[in-house]
Amino acid sequence: MFGRRRSLPALPEQPVAPVAAGATVADLPVAVPAAAAQRSAQPQRSVMLAGRDGLREKDRDRYYRLKQEIFTAMVEAVDLAAIAALSNEDARSEIRDLANEIVSLRDVAVTFEEREELIKDLCDDVLGLGPLEELLAQDRINDIMVNGPNQIYVEVDGRMQRTNIRFRDSAQLLNVCQRIVGQVGRRVDDASPICDARLQDGSRVNVIVPPLALEGPVLTIRKFRKDRLTLDAMIDIGSLSEPLAELIKIIGRCRCNVLISGGTGSGKTTLLNCITASIDDTERIVTCEDTAELQLQQPHVVRLETRPPNLEGAGEVTMRDLVRNCLRMRPERIIVGEVRGPEALDLLQAMNTGHDGSMGTLHANSPREALYRLEALITLGSVQLSSKIIRDMISTSLDVVIQAERLRDGSRKVMSIAEVVGLEGDTIVLQELAVFDVAGEGADGRLMGQHRGAGIYRPKFWDRARYFGEDRRLARVMEDLNAVGEAETRIA
Ligand SMILES: Nc1ncnc2c1ncn2[C@@H]1O[C@H](COP(=O)(O)OP(=O)(O)OP(=O)(O)O)[C@@H](O)[C@H]1O
Ligand SMILES: [Mg+2]
């Protein structure tokens, strides 16, 4: 059957090892994610959520069995690796012809829609990242969490939901993991079971496989957002108020040193990205990240990325190495994607040695906690400095802490903007400029509330604002923020 297809047209570029008869997708060679380039061109199918409808679940089981049958027949009939090496269009057309022939020969009853879905899924298996392709194509999905082959969760509009999509088995999932990490020259296996990588579209990926992950390979993807969120867009979705967005823009323009604090997935990197929009085009910016996520729009940006050790444990370049090195690169601003180690000290030193306007993000639940964490990171870096000296350094280097949070209704908000006022005795004094007050829950389950000023009309960075010609704007913004605060007090 289909013997003629064994002689496919001459293969382009690098030769690909043939796949043995009886193989599965898991046996396909790695790094052939041609589908990624085509992803955005594919019509988007909406993700079905699991557990909604028992009949559909049964349909799904039948569908997966059918897909496996056709896939096995295809493997027996043709050299799938050769198909994978064709141009995307040719490969899709080959797979379509084959699948149609197999379905007709086997006399399987499928509707037109099922046949189309089947062909698309088979193309994704052979050419791309299998079941993930469908999820990657959906713009509304932020995060994809694969917990073994049978359980895939996504975050849609801020809410975690289980999908009814699954991998055929652990081997197929592991193969997809290898394809992904293969793109950054890595492999995951018993010897190195953890890996960070990036998809071609910029999405950030973490892979952890057995024996560390007990239920099979676990894949976590933070999808790269094509429509970059801006402060104005955040006002529209309620993450910020207009005066708060203005305040953030002024903070960026005045070259304040800023730390963005928040829990995991609270929107720290997105906020950092937004603040960078206020940076002048003339400035030289150096960014240091573990996985490059920032999308700065300025022309003069140098992007640096850390490097994990290789299989022999050599060649690691840490965040600290990068931050230290970038001090020798004549930066005007240094931006650290995530501060989570001893680089905290180097960033602070950069902040008070002429690199005003430097920024970073840090995991913490409040501005106060962010300062404790910063101190702890410096101490853990085995620096023999007293806590008084470390606190003094923090208070003279850092100007503003912006707190981001993902609330229980799935929305993301700026919860607080606080400025570092100075050191009183052993305590760093923080003063809140604006906060978000939760007022209750609406009928739709959404949390209600508003951003208001905290009664400060003249922030400590006032002189800095005047130096940059932003003092009048700052006065107006603080008035607007505090007007909300005062109205609230009157109502109470
Ligand atoms: N204000 C917002 N409204 C809606 N979605 C947002 C908002 N801010 C960020 N997001 C989305 O939430 C997800 C997490 O955002 P982001 O990567 O900025 O978080 P993070 O705090 O840096 O996460 P991590 O701790 O993993 O680094 C992304 O998909 C992003 O597009
Ligand atoms: Mg982040």
Side-chain angles (χ1 to χ4, degrees), residues 54 139 159 210 222 294 303 318 368 392 394-396 456-457:
D139 291 336
R159 291 178 193 262
R222 162 71 39 80
L294 294 168
R303 302 168 78 211
T318 65
R368 169 67 55 197
D392 190 41
I394 294 174
S395 71
T396 52
I456 304 293
Y457 286 81

Side-chain angles (χ1 to χ4, degrees), residues 321 323-331:
D321 297 331
V323 177
R324 283 184 164 178
N325 187 72
C326 77
L327 288 171
R328 295 194 287 274
M329 296 169 66
R330 206 193 162 282

Side-chain angles (χ1 to χ4, degrees), residues 204 222 263-270 272 289 291 293-294 337-338 361-363:
R204 187 181 88 183
R222 162 71 39 80
T264 176
S266 56
K268 300 180 296 296
T269 305
T270 308
L272 181 60
E289 295 176 272
T291 307
E293 290 180 281
L294 294 168
E338 191 184 321
T361 76
L362 180 137
H363 277 86

